[in-house]
Amino acid sequence: MDLTLASGEAIYGYNWRANGRNMIASSIPIIQDGQVIGVFAHSVFLDILDAKEMIENLLSQINMYKREISTFHQAKYSFDDLIGSSQEFIKLIKIARQIAKHPDTTVLITGESGTGKELLANSIHNRSSRSSRPFIRVNCTAIPENLLETELFGYEEGAYTGAKKRGKPGKFELAQGGTIFLDEIGEMSFVMQSKLLTVLQEYEVERVGGSRPIILDVRVIAATNRDLNQMVTEGAFRQDLYFRLNVFHLEMIPLRAHKEDIAILIEHFLKKFNVRLRVDIKGISDKTIKSLEHYQWPGNVRELENVMERAMIIADMEGSSMLSRRHFGFLNTAFDVPVSLNQTQDLKTITQDFERQVIKRAMQEANNDILTAAKLLSIDRTTLYRKLKKYNFPFS
Ligand SMILES: Nc1ncnc2c1ncn2[C@@H]1O[C@H](COP(=O)(O)OP(=O)(O)OP(=O)(O)O)[C@@H](O)[C@H]1O
Ligand SMILES: [Mg+2]
Protein backbone atom coordinates (compact mmCIF):
# COMPACT_ATOMS: atom_id res chain seq x y z
CA MET A 1 0.00 0.00 0.00
CA ASP A 2 2.80 2.35 0.96
CA LEU A 3 4.58 1.41 -2.22
CA THR A 4 1.55 2.38 -4.30
CA LEU A 5 1.36 5.63 -2.45
CA ALA A 6 5.01 6.32 -3.14
CA SER A 7 5.17 5.14 -6.73
CA GLY A 8 1.66 5.84 -7.94
CA GLU A 9 1.57 2.35 -9.52
CA ALA A 10 -1.13 -0.23 -8.96
CA ILE A 11 0.04 -3.49 -7.43
CA TYR A 12 -2.02 -6.63 -7.70
CA GLY A 13 -2.05 -9.85 -5.67
CA TYR A 14 0.60 -9.25 -3.00
CA ASN A 15 0.79 -10.72 0.47
CA TRP A 16 -0.55 -8.41 3.10
CA ARG A 17 -0.46 -9.18 6.77
CA ALA A 18 -3.04 -7.33 8.81
CA ASN A 19 -4.87 -8.08 12.04
CA GLY A 20 -2.90 -11.30 12.39
CA ARG A 21 -4.12 -12.67 9.02
CA ASN A 22 -2.28 -13.36 5.80
CA MET A 23 -4.24 -11.76 3.01
CA ILE A 24 -3.82 -11.36 -0.70
CA ALA A 25 -4.48 -7.79 -1.67
CA SER A 26 -4.33 -5.32 -4.51
CA SER A 27 -3.82 -1.58 -4.20
CA ILE A 28 -4.72 1.05 -6.74
CA PRO A 29 -3.64 4.68 -6.50
CA ILE A 30 -6.26 7.44 -6.39
CA ILE A 31 -4.97 10.26 -8.56
CA GLN A 32 -6.26 13.83 -8.71
CA ASP A 33 -4.68 16.45 -10.94
CA GLY A 34 -1.69 14.19 -11.47
CA GLN A 35 -1.12 13.79 -7.74
CA VAL A 36 -1.50 10.59 -5.76
CA ILE A 37 -3.94 11.57 -3.10
CA GLY A 38 -4.70 8.17 -1.70
CA VAL A 39 -4.70 4.42 -2.22
CA PHE A 40 -7.60 2.09 -2.66
CA ALA A 41 -6.64 -1.26 -1.15
CA HIS A 42 -8.74 -4.33 -1.58
CA SER A 43 -8.15 -7.78 -0.19
CA VAL A 44 -8.87 -10.49 -2.75
CA PHE A 45 -9.01 -13.23 -0.14
CA LEU A 46 -9.69 -12.47 3.47
CA ASP A 47 -7.18 -15.07 4.43
CA ILE A 48 -4.69 -17.24 2.60
CA LEU A 49 -6.57 -20.20 4.11
CA ASP A 50 -9.65 -19.09 2.15
CA ALA A 51 -7.57 -19.14 -1.01
CA LYS A 52 -6.28 -22.58 -0.15
CA GLU A 53 -9.80 -23.84 0.42
CA MET A 54 -10.96 -22.35 -2.85
CA ILE A 55 -8.07 -23.97 -4.75
CA GLU A 56 -8.81 -27.31 -3.12
CA ASN A 57 -12.45 -27.02 -4.15
CA LEU A 58 -11.47 -26.22 -7.69
CA LEU A 59 -9.01 -29.12 -7.79
CA SER A 60 -11.62 -31.59 -6.59
CA GLN A 61 -14.03 -30.29 -9.25
CA ILE A 62 -11.36 -30.65 -11.93
CA ASN A 63 -10.67 -34.20 -10.76
CA MET A 64 -14.36 -35.02 -10.93
CA TYR A 65 -14.57 -33.76 -14.52
CA LYS A 66 -11.38 -35.65 -15.38
CA ARG A 67 -12.93 -38.86 -14.05
CA GLU A 68 -16.11 -38.17 -15.97
CA ILE A 69 -14.19 -37.58 -19.19
CA SER A 70 -12.16 -40.72 -18.67
CA THR A 71 -15.36 -42.80 -18.71
CA PHE A 72 -15.73 -41.77 -22.37
CA HIS A 73 -12.38 -43.37 -22.95
CA GLN A 74 -12.86 -46.61 -21.13
CA ALA A 75 -12.61 -50.08 -22.57
CA LYS A 76 -16.11 -51.52 -22.55
CA TYR A 77 -15.33 -55.23 -22.57
CA SER A 78 -13.36 -57.61 -20.42
CA PHE A 79 -12.28 -61.24 -20.71
CA ASP A 80 -15.62 -62.27 -19.17
CA ASP A 81 -17.30 -61.14 -22.40
CA LEU A 82 -15.22 -63.49 -24.54
CA ILE A 83 -17.20 -66.69 -24.73
CA GLY A 84 -15.73 -70.02 -25.78
CA SER A 85 -14.54 -73.23 -24.21
CA SER A 86 -12.88 -75.06 -27.08
CA GLN A 87 -9.25 -75.94 -26.65
CA GLU A 88 -7.95 -73.49 -29.27
CA PHE A 89 -10.04 -70.65 -27.90
CA ILE A 90 -8.99 -71.25 -24.29
CA LYS A 91 -5.36 -71.39 -25.39
CA LEU A 92 -5.63 -68.05 -27.16
CA ILE A 93 -7.31 -66.40 -24.17
CA LYS A 94 -4.70 -67.78 -21.81
CA ILE A 95 -1.89 -66.24 -23.85
CA ALA A 96 -3.80 -62.95 -24.12
CA ARG A 97 -4.27 -62.82 -20.35
CA GLN A 98 -0.54 -63.29 -19.88
CA ILE A 99 0.35 -60.59 -22.36
CA ALA A 100 -2.06 -58.24 -20.57
CA LYS A 101 0.27 -58.39 -17.57
CA HIS A 102 3.06 -56.79 -19.60
CA PRO A 103 1.71 -53.28 -19.91
CA ASP A 104 4.34 -51.98 -22.32
CA THR A 105 4.30 -54.78 -24.86
CA THR A 106 2.93 -53.93 -28.29
CA VAL A 107 0.31 -56.40 -29.47
CA LEU A 108 -0.86 -57.15 -33.00
CA ILE A 109 -4.26 -58.84 -33.29
CA THR A 110 -5.18 -60.34 -36.63
CA GLY A 111 -8.10 -62.43 -37.76
CA GLU A 112 -11.16 -62.43 -39.97
CA SER A 113 -13.90 -59.90 -39.56
CA GLY A 114 -16.22 -60.54 -36.60
CA THR A 115 -13.86 -62.83 -34.69
CA GLY A 116 -13.60 -60.53 -31.66
CA LYS A 117 -10.43 -58.50 -32.23
CA GLU A 118 -11.87 -55.38 -30.68
CA LEU A 119 -13.27 -57.36 -27.77
CA LEU A 120 -9.83 -58.82 -27.13
CA ALA A 121 -8.07 -55.44 -27.33
CA ASN A 122 -10.54 -54.07 -24.75
CA SER A 123 -9.99 -57.08 -22.50
CA ILE A 124 -6.20 -56.84 -22.61
CA HIS A 125 -6.36 -53.19 -21.58
CA ASN A 126 -8.86 -53.88 -18.79
CA ARG A 127 -6.71 -56.67 -17.42
CA SER A 128 -3.52 -54.61 -17.41
CA SER A 129 -2.10 -52.19 -14.88
CA ARG A 130 -3.22 -49.44 -17.29
CA SER A 131 -6.90 -50.28 -16.80
CA SER A 132 -7.76 -47.12 -14.85
CA ARG A 133 -6.19 -44.99 -17.58
CA PRO A 134 -7.77 -44.23 -20.99
CA PHE A 135 -8.37 -46.72 -23.76
CA ILE A 136 -8.38 -44.80 -27.02
CA ARG A 137 -9.54 -46.45 -30.21
CA VAL A 138 -8.51 -45.03 -33.53
CA ASN A 139 -10.33 -46.41 -36.54
CA CYS A 140 -7.74 -45.89 -39.25
CA THR A 141 -10.33 -46.35 -42.02
CA ALA A 142 -12.92 -43.93 -40.68
CA ILE A 143 -10.63 -40.91 -40.45
CA PRO A 144 -9.95 -39.17 -43.78
CA GLU A 145 -6.32 -39.39 -44.79
CA ASN A 146 -5.71 -35.64 -44.51
CA LEU A 147 -7.03 -35.57 -40.94
CA LEU A 148 -5.37 -38.71 -39.62
CA GLU A 149 -2.11 -36.99 -38.78
CA THR A 150 -3.71 -34.28 -36.64
CA GLU A 151 -6.09 -36.84 -35.14
CA LEU A 152 -3.18 -38.99 -34.03
CA PHE A 153 -0.66 -36.34 -33.08
CA GLY A 154 -2.77 -33.24 -32.39
CA TYR A 155 -1.91 -29.73 -33.46
CA GLU A 156 -0.56 -26.58 -31.90
CA GLU A 157 -2.29 -23.22 -31.75
CA GLY A 158 -2.37 -21.63 -35.22
CA ALA A 159 -0.80 -24.68 -36.89
CA TYR A 160 -3.00 -24.13 -39.90
CA THR A 161 -5.90 -21.92 -40.89
CA GLY A 162 -9.04 -22.95 -39.12
CA ALA A 163 -7.11 -24.61 -36.30
CA LYS A 164 -8.72 -24.20 -32.92
CA LYS A 165 -7.23 -21.31 -31.02
CA ARG A 166 -5.76 -23.38 -28.22
CA GLY A 167 -4.64 -26.33 -30.35
CA LYS A 168 -5.85 -29.87 -29.82
CA PRO A 169 -4.29 -32.98 -28.31
CA GLY A 170 -3.96 -36.03 -30.53
CA LYS A 171 -5.12 -39.56 -29.74
CA PHE A 172 -1.64 -40.54 -28.57
CA GLU A 173 -1.68 -37.72 -26.02
CA LEU A 174 -5.21 -38.62 -24.92
CA ALA A 175 -4.11 -42.21 -24.39
CA GLN A 176 -1.27 -41.12 -22.10
CA GLY A 177 -0.82 -43.72 -19.35
CA GLY A 178 -3.29 -46.04 -21.04
CA THR A 179 -3.68 -47.92 -24.32
CA ILE A 180 -4.03 -46.74 -27.90
CA PHE A 181 -5.88 -49.19 -30.11
CA LEU A 182 -5.04 -48.72 -33.79
CA ASP A 183 -7.90 -50.55 -35.44
CA GLU A 184 -7.85 -51.49 -39.14
CA ILE A 185 -4.14 -50.68 -39.29
CA GLY A 186 -3.92 -52.43 -42.67
CA GLU A 187 -5.87 -49.54 -44.20
CA MET A 188 -3.31 -46.89 -43.23
CA SER A 189 -1.60 -45.11 -46.12
CA PHE A 190 2.10 -45.53 -46.75
CA VAL A 191 2.83 -41.91 -45.76
CA MET A 192 1.02 -42.31 -42.43
CA GLN A 193 2.74 -45.63 -41.85
CA SER A 194 6.10 -43.80 -41.95
CA LYS A 195 4.92 -41.16 -39.50
CA LEU A 196 3.57 -43.80 -37.17
CA LEU A 197 6.81 -45.74 -37.34
CA THR A 198 8.76 -42.67 -36.20
CA VAL A 199 6.45 -42.30 -33.21
CA LEU A 200 6.80 -45.95 -32.27
CA GLN A 201 10.58 -45.78 -32.54
CA GLU A 202 11.01 -42.65 -30.45
CA TYR A 203 8.04 -43.16 -28.17
CA GLU A 204 7.36 -39.47 -28.37
CA VAL A 205 5.01 -37.33 -30.44
CA GLU A 206 5.11 -33.75 -31.57
CA ARG A 207 1.90 -31.91 -32.29
CA VAL A 208 1.57 -30.64 -35.85
CA GLY A 209 3.02 -27.11 -35.84
CA GLY A 210 4.54 -27.70 -32.42
CA SER A 211 8.13 -27.93 -31.33
CA ARG A 212 7.85 -29.57 -27.94
CA PRO A 213 8.05 -33.38 -28.04
CA ILE A 214 5.73 -35.23 -25.68
CA ILE A 215 7.19 -38.38 -24.17
CA LEU A 216 4.71 -41.20 -24.51
CA ASP A 217 3.71 -43.74 -21.93
CA VAL A 218 1.19 -45.86 -23.82
CA ARG A 219 0.67 -49.45 -24.86
CA VAL A 220 -0.02 -49.89 -28.55
CA ILE A 221 -2.47 -52.54 -29.71
CA ALA A 222 -3.04 -52.78 -33.46
CA ALA A 223 -5.63 -54.89 -35.25
CA THR A 224 -6.49 -55.79 -38.80
CA ASN A 225 -8.39 -58.39 -40.78
CA ARG A 226 -5.88 -58.05 -43.61
CA ASP A 227 -2.89 -60.34 -44.04
CA LEU A 228 -0.12 -57.88 -43.15
CA ASN A 229 2.60 -60.35 -44.03
CA GLN A 230 1.17 -60.64 -47.51
CA MET A 231 0.80 -56.86 -47.73
CA VAL A 232 4.49 -56.50 -46.84
CA THR A 233 5.39 -58.90 -49.66
CA GLU A 234 3.24 -56.90 -52.06
CA GLY A 235 4.84 -53.65 -50.92
CA ALA A 236 1.59 -52.25 -49.50
CA PHE A 237 2.71 -52.26 -45.88
CA ARG A 238 6.05 -51.12 -44.49
CA GLN A 239 8.10 -54.04 -43.30
CA ASP A 240 9.80 -52.04 -40.53
CA LEU A 241 6.41 -50.94 -39.16
CA TYR A 242 5.17 -54.52 -39.39
CA PHE A 243 8.11 -55.66 -37.25
CA ARG A 244 7.45 -52.87 -34.73
CA LEU A 245 3.80 -53.88 -34.35
CA ASN A 246 4.38 -57.59 -34.48
CA VAL A 247 6.13 -57.77 -31.09
CA PHE A 248 3.42 -60.07 -29.87
CA HIS A 249 0.99 -61.55 -32.33
CA LEU A 250 -2.44 -62.91 -31.41
CA GLU A 251 -4.38 -64.57 -34.20
CA MET A 252 -8.14 -64.86 -33.73
CA ILE A 253 -9.70 -68.13 -34.81
CA PRO A 254 -12.47 -68.15 -37.43
CA LEU A 255 -15.69 -69.56 -35.98
CA ARG A 256 -15.76 -72.48 -38.42
CA ALA A 257 -12.44 -73.62 -36.87
CA HIS A 258 -13.93 -73.86 -33.36
CA LYS A 259 -17.45 -75.04 -34.07
CA GLU A 260 -17.58 -76.70 -30.66
CA ASP A 261 -18.16 -73.22 -29.28
CA ILE A 262 -21.27 -72.54 -31.35
CA ALA A 263 -23.64 -74.12 -28.82
CA ILE A 264 -22.22 -72.17 -25.88
CA LEU A 265 -22.24 -68.93 -27.90
CA ILE A 266 -25.88 -69.55 -28.81
CA GLU A 267 -26.64 -70.01 -25.11
CA HIS A 268 -24.85 -66.74 -24.37
CA PHE A 269 -26.75 -64.79 -27.05
CA LEU A 270 -30.08 -66.30 -25.93
CA LYS A 271 -29.52 -64.84 -22.48
CA LYS A 272 -28.23 -61.54 -23.82
CA PHE A 273 -31.10 -60.93 -26.25
CA ASN A 274 -33.82 -62.19 -23.90
CA VAL A 275 -32.81 -59.29 -21.68
CA ARG A 276 -32.16 -56.74 -24.40
CA LEU A 277 -35.23 -57.51 -26.52
CA ARG A 278 -37.44 -58.18 -23.49
CA VAL A 279 -38.51 -61.54 -24.89
CA ASP A 280 -38.58 -64.98 -23.31
CA ILE A 281 -37.16 -67.53 -25.71
CA LYS A 282 -36.49 -70.71 -23.76
CA GLY A 283 -34.11 -72.53 -26.07
CA ILE A 284 -33.25 -73.96 -29.44
CA SER A 285 -33.79 -77.42 -30.91
CA ASP A 286 -30.81 -79.78 -31.12
CA LYS A 287 -31.43 -80.22 -34.82
CA THR A 288 -31.10 -76.48 -35.38
CA ILE A 289 -27.86 -76.36 -33.41
CA LYS A 290 -26.54 -79.16 -35.62
CA SER A 291 -27.48 -77.20 -38.74
CA LEU A 292 -25.84 -74.08 -37.40
CA GLU A 293 -22.71 -76.10 -36.66
CA HIS A 294 -22.53 -77.13 -40.28
CA TYR A 295 -22.73 -73.63 -41.62
CA GLN A 296 -19.47 -71.93 -42.63
CA TRP A 297 -19.93 -68.60 -40.78
CA PRO A 298 -18.07 -66.22 -43.10
CA GLY A 299 -19.00 -63.38 -40.72
CA ASN A 300 -17.88 -65.33 -37.63
CA VAL A 301 -19.26 -64.56 -34.15
CA ARG A 302 -20.68 -61.22 -35.29
CA GLU A 303 -22.79 -63.07 -37.88
CA LEU A 304 -23.92 -65.63 -35.29
CA GLU A 305 -24.86 -62.79 -32.94
CA ASN A 306 -26.88 -61.08 -35.68
CA VAL A 307 -28.75 -64.19 -36.80
CA MET A 308 -29.58 -65.06 -33.19
CA GLU A 309 -31.08 -61.62 -32.66
CA ARG A 310 -33.12 -61.89 -35.85
CA ALA A 311 -34.28 -65.45 -35.10
CA MET A 312 -35.38 -64.46 -31.60
CA ILE A 313 -37.40 -61.53 -32.91
CA ILE A 314 -39.11 -63.74 -35.52
CA ALA A 315 -39.83 -66.48 -32.96
CA ASP A 316 -41.25 -63.95 -30.54
CA MET A 317 -43.51 -62.47 -33.23
CA GLU A 318 -44.75 -65.97 -33.99
CA GLY A 319 -45.38 -66.65 -30.34
CA SER A 320 -42.98 -69.60 -30.20
CA SER A 321 -40.59 -69.97 -27.30
CA MET A 322 -38.21 -72.41 -29.00
CA LEU A 323 -35.93 -71.55 -31.90
CA SER A 324 -35.96 -73.91 -34.84
CA ARG A 325 -34.57 -74.04 -38.36
CA ARG A 326 -37.32 -71.93 -39.86
CA HIS A 327 -36.20 -68.98 -37.74
CA PHE A 328 -32.84 -69.04 -39.49
CA GLY A 329 -33.83 -68.18 -43.04
CA PHE A 330 -30.31 -68.49 -44.43
CA LEU A 331 -30.22 -72.19 -43.51
CA ASN A 332 -33.07 -72.80 -45.89
CA THR A 333 -31.73 -70.99 -48.92
CA ALA A 334 -30.53 -73.04 -51.84
CA PHE A 335 -26.91 -72.17 -51.38
CA ASP A 336 -26.37 -72.98 -47.75
CA VAL A 337 -28.07 -76.32 -47.33
CA PRO A 338 -26.22 -77.99 -44.50
CA VAL A 339 -25.56 -81.58 -45.33
CA SER A 340 -24.07 -83.79 -42.71
CA LEU A 341 -22.56 -87.03 -43.84
CA ASN A 342 -23.81 -89.00 -40.86
CA GLN A 343 -27.41 -88.22 -41.76
CA THR A 344 -29.66 -91.21 -42.11
CA GLN A 345 -30.94 -89.99 -45.49
CA ASP A 346 -29.39 -91.43 -48.63
CA LEU A 347 -27.76 -89.39 -51.39
CA LYS A 348 -30.85 -89.49 -53.63
CA THR A 349 -33.10 -87.99 -50.95
CA ILE A 350 -30.53 -85.33 -50.05
CA THR A 351 -30.06 -84.39 -53.72
CA GLN A 352 -33.79 -84.20 -54.33
CA ASP A 353 -34.26 -82.09 -51.24
CA PHE A 354 -31.54 -79.77 -52.47
CA GLU A 355 -33.06 -79.59 -55.97
CA ARG A 356 -36.47 -78.79 -54.52
CA GLN A 357 -35.00 -75.90 -52.53
CA VAL A 358 -33.08 -74.53 -55.50
CA ILE A 359 -36.26 -74.56 -57.58
CA LYS A 360 -38.21 -72.90 -54.78
CA ARG A 361 -35.61 -70.13 -54.59
CA ALA A 362 -35.63 -69.65 -58.38
CA MET A 363 -39.42 -69.42 -58.43
CA GLN A 364 -39.36 -66.87 -55.62
CA GLU A 365 -36.77 -64.75 -57.43
CA ALA A 366 -38.74 -65.00 -60.68
CA ASN A 367 -41.98 -64.03 -58.97
CA ASN A 368 -43.43 -67.40 -60.02
CA ASP A 369 -42.84 -66.70 -63.70
CA ILE A 370 -41.85 -70.10 -65.08
CA LEU A 371 -39.96 -68.85 -68.11
CA THR A 372 -37.81 -66.50 -66.01
CA ALA A 373 -37.20 -69.19 -63.39
CA ALA A 374 -36.20 -71.67 -66.12
CA LYS A 375 -33.70 -69.13 -67.45
CA LEU A 376 -32.27 -68.60 -63.96
CA LEU A 377 -31.72 -72.34 -63.68
CA SER A 378 -30.48 -72.71 -67.27
CA ILE A 379 -33.01 -75.44 -68.02
CA ASP A 380 -35.86 -75.39 -70.49
CA ARG A 381 -39.42 -74.61 -69.59
CA THR A 382 -40.78 -78.13 -69.96
CA THR A 383 -38.10 -79.57 -67.66
CA LEU A 384 -39.04 -77.03 -65.05
CA TYR A 385 -42.75 -77.87 -65.47
CA ARG A 386 -41.95 -81.50 -64.91
CA LYS A 387 -39.94 -80.81 -61.77
CA LEU A 388 -42.54 -78.45 -60.36
CA LYS A 389 -45.06 -81.23 -60.75
CA LYS A 390 -42.73 -83.76 -59.20
CA TYR A 391 -42.20 -81.61 -56.11
CA ASN A 392 -45.85 -80.62 -55.87
CA PHE A 393 -45.26 -76.91 -56.34
CA PRO A 394 -48.46 -74.98 -56.95
CA PHE A 395 -48.18 -73.25 -60.36
CA SER A 396 -50.49 -72.16 -63.08
N1 LIG B 1 -15.82 -64.94 -28.33
C1 LIG B 1 -16.84 -64.07 -28.34
N2 LIG B 1 -17.77 -64.12 -27.37
C2 LIG B 1 -18.82 -63.26 -27.38
N3 LIG B 1 -19.02 -62.33 -28.31
C3 LIG B 1 -18.12 -62.23 -29.30
C4 LIG B 1 -16.98 -63.08 -29.38
N4 LIG B 1 -16.27 -62.76 -30.47
C5 LIG B 1 -16.93 -61.75 -31.05
N5 LIG B 1 -18.04 -61.43 -30.36
C6 LIG B 1 -19.03 -60.41 -30.72
O1 LIG B 1 -18.99 -60.28 -32.12
C7 LIG B 1 -19.04 -58.92 -32.52
C8 LIG B 1 -17.82 -58.57 -33.33
O2 LIG B 1 -16.67 -58.54 -32.50
P1 LIG B 1 -15.48 -57.52 -32.77
O3 LIG B 1 -16.02 -56.18 -33.13
O4 LIG B 1 -14.54 -57.59 -31.66
O5 LIG B 1 -14.88 -58.19 -34.10
P2 LIG B 1 -13.63 -57.75 -35.00
O6 LIG B 1 -12.74 -58.93 -35.10
O7 LIG B 1 -13.06 -56.48 -34.46
O8 LIG B 1 -14.32 -57.53 -36.42
P3 LIG B 1 -13.92 -56.52 -37.62
O9 LIG B 1 -12.66 -57.04 -38.25
O10 LIG B 1 -15.08 -56.61 -38.56
O11 LIG B 1 -13.77 -55.17 -37.02
C9 LIG B 1 -19.16 -58.10 -31.25
O12 LIG B 1 -20.50 -57.75 -31.07
C10 LIG B 1 -18.70 -59.03 -30.17
O13 LIG B 1 -19.40 -58.77 -28.99
MG1 LIG C 1 -12.98 -54.57 -35.29
Side-chain angles (χ1 to χ4, degrees):
M1 211 156 51
D2 293 344
L3 208 63
T4 302
L5 200 57
S7 67
E9 303 261 325
I11 305 171
Y12 299 100
Y14 59 87
N15 280 327
W16 184 26
R17 192 168 167 79
N19 302 330
R21 298 176 113 190
N22 283 313
M23 299 187 220
I24 299 205
S26 296
S27 35
I28 300 149
I30 302 167
I31 300 170
Q32 196 179 40
D33 301 329
Q35 293 286 321
V36 180
I37 57 159
V39 171
F40 172 73
H42 166 70
S43 64
V44 182
F45 293 111
L46 274 182
D47 195 289
I48 208 117
L49 287 176
D50 291 345
K52 206 172 151 230
E53 195 183 316
M54 189 165 171
I55 289 167
E56 274 167 5
N57 271 338
L58 285 172
L59 279 178
S60 89
Q61 278 183 35
I62 288 170
N63 281 334
M64 185 197 78
Y65 287 123
K66 267 191 183 166
R67 273 198 306 277
E68 208 152 276
I69 287 170
S70 78
T71 62
F72 295 134
H73 295 145
Q74 258 171 16
K76 281 185 290 197
Y77 305 103
S78 69
F79 279 112
D80 293 340
D81 298 301
L82 278 158
I83 310 297
S85 57
S86 62
Q87 238 182 8
E88 307 91 294
F89 192 78
I90 298 279
K91 203 168 127 197
L92 173 77
I93 298 302
K94 205 169 149 196
I95 299 171
R97 279 178 186 269
Q98 276 165 353
I99 205 65
K101 286 193 222 145
H102 300 274
D104 297 327
T105 303
T106 301
V107 184
L108 174 65
I109 308 176
T110 58
E112 288 180 18
S113 183
T115 46
K117 296 184 291 294
E118 187 168 351
L119 219 64
L120 190 70
N122 274 250
S123 310
I124 291 174
H125 170 79
N126 265 340
R127 242 316 153 104
S128 73
S129 55
R130 298 181 177 275
S131 62
S132 62
R133 309 288 300 149
F135 175 84
I136 304 285
R137 173 175 181 248
V138 184
N139 183 345
C140 302
T141 342
I143 303 169
E145 172 61 29
N146 58 339
L147 292 184
L148 192 57
E149 187 176 5
T150 50
E151 274 296 309
L152 284 178
F153 311 136
Y155 55 80
E156 215 47 272
E157 182 176 338
Y160 58 92
T161 32
K164 271 195 195 153
K165 197 140 195 297
R166 307 276 296 276
K168 190 182 159 202
K171 302 278 188 190
F172 271 101
E173 249 183 284
L174 289 175
Q176 211 42 306
T179 303
I180 188 161
F181 175 42
L182 302 171
D183 205 2
E184 320 283 0
I185 189 93
E187 313 304 319
M188 197 178 258
S189 74
F190 225 75
V191 177
M192 270 313 293
Q193 287 176 29
S194 310
K195 291 186 175 159
L196 179 63
L197 178 69
T198 313
V199 172
L200 298 185
Q201 273 165 345
E202 318 279 327
Y203 258 82
E204 52 182 48
V205 275
E206 220 164 79
R207 288 186 181 185
V208 174
S211 51
R212 182 177 52 96
I214 301 154
I215 314 272
L216 289 177
D217 169 28
V218 292
R219 183 215 289 267
V220 176
I221 303 182
T224 180
N225 52 25
R226 308 270 298 264
D227 182 347
L228 284 190
N229 213 347
Q230 174 76 17
M231 285 180 76
V232 169
T233 315
E234 289 166 0
F237 201 85
R238 287 189 66 124
Q239 188 176 43
D240 38 14
L241 178 59
Y242 177 58
F243 289 149
R244 270 278 151 190
L245 296 172
N246 198 13
V247 177
F248 206 92
H249 181 192
L250 291 169
E251 166 111 54
M252 304 305 288
I253 320 159
L255 185 55
R256 65 185 161 282
H258 60 120
K259 290 185 169 182
E260 313 91 283
D261 287 334
I262 288 178
I264 172 177
L265 279 161
I266 288 175
E267 209 42 55
H268 168 72
F269 291 129
L270 267 172
K271 277 194 210 128
K272 175 171 166 179
F273 291 120
N274 268 335
V275 174
R276 189 178 290 176
L277 303 170
R278 298 208 185 104
V279 296
D280 188 19
I281 308 293
K282 305 266 187 252
I284 178 167
S285 74
D286 288 348
K287 220 172 111 196
T288 313
I289 295 185
K290 281 262 165 323
S291 304
L292 293 172
E293 282 170 351
H294 281 109
Y295 179 66
Q296 286 303 300
W297 299 109
N300 296 295
V301 185
R302 181 186 288 118
E303 187 182 4
L304 177 61
E305 186 171 15
N306 291 343
V307 301
M308 279 299 292
E309 181 172 7
R310 195 171 339 127
M312 289 171 73
I313 293 171
I314 298 171
D316 184 64
M317 287 192 313
E318 267 182 22
S320 32
S321 61
M322 281 297 279
L323 296 181
S324 55
R325 273 186 62 128
R326 69 173 184 286
H327 301 126
F328 298 88
F330 65 101
L331 289 178
N332 304 320
T333 60
F335 306 103
D336 292 315
V337 177
V339 176
S340 96
L341 291 179
N342 53 17
Q343 264 174 342
T344 46
Q345 291 172 317
D346 59 10
L347 180 62
K348 195 171 167 209
T349 323
I350 294 169
T351 319
Q352 281 184 353
D353 192 32
F354 191 77
E355 190 180 51
R356 195 180 56 75
Q357 293 190 50
V358 173
I359 290 172
K360 184 177 161 197
R361 168 84 172 262
M363 286 297 278
Q364 277 168 351
E365 288 204 8
N367 274 332
N368 285 331
D369 179 66
I370 294 180
L371 190 61
T372 315
K375 271 191 193 149
L376 276 176
L377 296 166
S378 304
I379 54 175
D380 61 43
R381 196 161 36 153
T382 40
T383 314
L384 183 55
Y385 265 125
R386 202 166 29 80
K387 289 187 185 292
L388 287 169
K389 243 189 190 146
K390 176 178 165 192
Y391 294 120
N392 290 326
F393 275 102
F395 63 93
S396 50

